[in-house]
Amino acid sequence: SDLREQEERGELLQPLIFILLVLCSVLLYFKVSLMDPGFVKDDEEADKSEEEGMVIPQVLSSVKMRRCGYCMVKQPMRARHCQLCQHCVRRYDHHCPWLENCVGEKNHPLFIVYLSVQLVVLLWGAHIAWSGLPFEQSWDWLQHNALLLVSFLLIVIFTIIVLLLLVSHLYLISCNTTTWEFMSHHRISYLRHSELENPFDQGVLLNLWRFFC
């Protein structure tokens, strides 16, 4: 009867949504970590790079596509060889140690969705932990609530990390650049020889549209 009354008041809906969000987060984690991030498989596939058709002609004329010295495939522009995955990855962003997989052309949008869902779960978890902490200045209170307090602090730390990661990725996506290109601009030939600081930037709205759609 108590469960039925709670259901009628809508009190069971929130925990159900929270559990579904956690489940969604776990499924997204496995999906992003296990899927092909955009491995370059052969010369024929490498020649079909969509970004090469969008790049400014001056960049293409001054930069020659090179063959990877590790896996011996012809690298399309914006691809990079990952020493950990032992593959060249299209539109390489970074190798994520938490996922044990690269973030590249195919799984980067899902990676952003995963971070977004994870952030919602962490914020909700922080709210739940905070609401269960009736602060009192006593040793007994600290003994009884130590685990909840530590959990809250850990959630806050993870929330800050995920928030900063998500914001930085959204900023780079809005500029149509990658973490690798942003960090190694001076070492990348097609950026170093370009007259523009970022030859791929087509405006915030178009950059976001091309990335997510």
Side-chain angles (χ1 to χ4, degrees):
S1 60
D2 291 340
L3 284 176
R4 186 173 297 175
E5 289 177 3
Q6 289 178 343
E7 184 179 0
E8 290 175 355
R9 293 196 301 266
E11 294 178 1
L12 296 180
L13 185 60
Q14 288 190 3
L16 180 61
I17 294 174
F18 180 76
I19 292 171
L20 289 176
L21 280 173
V22 172
L23 181 61
C24 180
S25 174
V26 173
L27 292 176
L28 281 170
Y29 171 83
F30 284 110
K31 176 67 176 176
V32 176
S33 62
L34 296 175
M35 73 182 293
D36 176 1
F39 294 133
V40 180
K41 297 177 182 177
D42 52 43
D43 289 350
E44 182 180 353
E45 185 180 355
D47 290 336
K48 295 179 181 178
S49 177
E50 183 180 348
E51 286 289 347
E52 290 181 19
M54 292 158 50
V55 75
I56 295 174
Q58 293 93 321
V59 181
L60 285 174
S61 62
S62 61
V63 179
K64 294 182 179 179
M65 298 299 99
R66 67 186 185 90
R67 192 172 292 276
C68 177
Y70 296 97
C71 51
M72 302 307 295
V73 298
K74 187 178 178 182
Q75 280 188 339
M77 194 170 289
R78 311 192 80 177
R80 183 177 187 263
H81 184 85
C82 176
Q83 297 280 10
L84 297 173
C85 292
Q86 294 297 310
H87 284 287
C88 286
V89 180
R90 290 179 174 278
R91 203 181 183 278
Y92 175 87
D93 189 85
H94 70 286
H95 182 91
C96 182
W98 304 104
L99 297 173
E100 277 298 324
N101 193 15
C102 282
V103 175
E105 185 178 77
K106 290 186 177 180
N107 66 349
H108 200 172
L110 268 183
F111 178 71
I112 299 300
V113 175
Y114 164 69
L115 288 179
S116 302
V117 174
Q118 190 66 50
L119 181 61
V120 172
V121 170
L122 286 168
L123 288 171
W124 199 336
H127 171 71
I128 293 172
W130 178 262
S131 63
L133 284 171
F135 289 100
E136 297 177 9
Q137 294 181 349
S138 67
W139 177 249
D140 289 337
W141 177 90
L142 186 61
Q143 283 184 317
H144 287 92
N145 295 276
L147 184 60
L148 186 58
L149 186 60
V150 171
S151 300
F152 173 74
L153 293 175
L154 285 174
I155 290 173
V156 169
I157 292 171
F158 287 132
T159 301
I160 294 172
I161 293 172
V162 172
L163 178 61
L164 292 175
L165 194 59
L166 179 61
V167 169
S168 64
H169 272 277
L170 288 175
Y171 169 75
L172 294 175
I173 291 165
S174 69
C175 299
N176 197 1
T177 189
T178 64
T179 302
W180 173 56
E181 290 171 342
F182 181 77
M183 300 294 292
S184 307
H185 189 280
H186 61 287
R187 294 195 291 120
I188 302 172
S189 57
Y190 59 81
L191 295 178
R192 192 172 64 247
H193 293 98
S194 171
E195 296 178 1
L196 301 173
E197 185 176 353
N198 180 12
F200 303 106
D201 188 5
Q202 296 182 306
V204 175
L205 293 178
L206 189 56
N207 291 339
L208 292 173
W209 173 266
R210 287 190 179 278
F211 181 85
F212 287 107
C213 306

